[in-house]
Amino acid sequence: MMASGADERMTGRNGKRTAAILSALWMGLGQCYNGQWLKGLVFLLFQALFLVVFFDFFHLGLWGIITLGEIPVLDHSIELLAMGLISILLILIGLLFYALNIVDAYRIGALRDGGQRPPSLSETWKQLTDQGFPYLVIAPSMILLVFVVLFPILFMVMLAFTNYDLYHQPPAKLVDYVGLDNFVNLIRSDLWKDSFFSVFAWTIVWTFVSTTVQVALGLFLAVFIHQRGIRLKKVFRTILILPWAVPSFVTIVVFSGMFDDNFGVINQLLQQVGIGPVPWLTDPFWSKVAVLLIQFWLGFPFSLALYTGVLQSIPHDLYEAADVDGATSWQKFRNITLPMALYATGPLLIVQYVGNFNNFNVIYLFNKGNPPVPGSTAGGTDILISWVYKLTFNTFKFNYAAAISIVIGLVVAAVSFLQFRRMRAFREEGMIE
């Protein structure tokens, strides 16, 4: 006896392929073919509404991101660029759901090919909440992250390839794509290369000196207080941790007044001991020294607290064994304390280096990156991130600010990636418990 058409579909081998093809033609058709009519109609209606609601937006956005407008005043290049990026993100999200729809149709079709009954709507919902609950929970936040985090990054990247600056302000003027000109000018143009390499070099020096000294100072004080025979350890720790308890911006502003060339208490004290006043705020070299000293003050309490906890976790048996072997204090520090401390705090050290690479607060609150440097678009103490701020809000060089931001991101990402991979703390998780 021949099977009916429906039965043939139930037991046929190509049902899954047919369902997938139908869902690829239009969302929901494959589900309807599999007998899941309600789910199929919901998918079908979802695609129809998606296209109806966003079609005009997609059309204008995709045209805008390619052309950036054609008629000044009428077309706003930056708004078109933003619309284009949003359109692409929405299309990608839509394609993700489209792919999931095809996979779902293929999976249900495979069940039917095997002679099984497709799950009902309630069974589908139960399966979704049981097996896909984590994805349901994080899905809204992931979609939000796409527009809150990913969109600004993509927008910045796109600006780096345009001529968007003070002289190309839409809608009065159109913005155009300029390719890699902004990056090339940073390293070849006489106007930009000196400023860029000077600020980049100072940023590297600032990062390594400020972070290394604050870490070394915190470790030294922690080891010193941890020694046997030191009394009033809690008092020392409380006093040394106090700079961390004061809000950093308050500390920086107070130090800015103390380092004032004319009225600052530091120059008054230096004069009393026979040392002339130091141009802390007007000389680039001494301004750099001042911001480094401030960062040492702000940063060492954290390292002190961090290494105090690490030292207390090192087994005393190791030191007792070293004493039996006749090891000196330096040998015990070099072979026991320092490796164990660095092993436990390695990832945090990277975080501190990266944080100081982009430490905007100290530079800007102390003297706003000043003093000015003749022939340079950056101040004497500007690091890359504070220079980006000035280019964006003072001189409206949005294109160069975006290009420099990409350089910052690449440097931070590359250093972090390489260092994290080299960290034993990441390769040998569970060594310290």
Side-chain angles (χ1 to χ4, degrees), residues 190-200 375-378 384 387:
D190 294 335
L191 178 64
W192 289 97
K193 67 178 182 181
D194 291 342
S195 300
F196 175 72
F197 286 115
S198 175
V199 174
F200 189 83
S376 174
T377 57
L384 288 175
W387 190 28

Side-chain angles (χ1 to χ4, degrees), residues 301-313:
F302 174 77
S303 298
L304 170 63
L306 179 65
Y307 288 115
T308 297
V310 173
L311 293 178
Q312 292 176 350
S313 67

Side-chain angles (χ1 to χ4, degrees), residues 321-334:
D323 290 334
V324 171
D325 292 338
T328 63
S329 298
W330 169 249
Q331 289 173 326
K332 288 188 286 186
F333 173 78
R334 180 182 176 184

Side-chain angles (χ1 to χ4, degrees), residues 14-31:
N14 295 324
K16 57 187 178 185
R17 183 179 300 175
T18 305
I21 293 174
L22 288 173
S23 279
L25 295 175
W26 193 278
M27 285 182 67
L29 289 181
Q31 283 74 15

Side-chain angles (χ1 to χ4, degrees), residues 86-98:
I86 294 174
S87 298
I88 292 174
L89 292 175
L90 286 174
I91 290 173
L92 291 177
I93 293 174
L95 289 176
L96 174 63
F97 282 100
Y98 209 90

Side-chain angles (χ1 to χ4, degrees), residues 62 68 87 100 117 222 262 281 324 362 367 373 403-404 420 429:
L62 296 178
L68 294 182
S87 298
L100 293 175
R117 180 180 59 84
N262 300 315
L281 299 180
V324 171
V362 175
N367 63 352
V373 177
I404 296 170
F420 273 125
E429 294 183 4

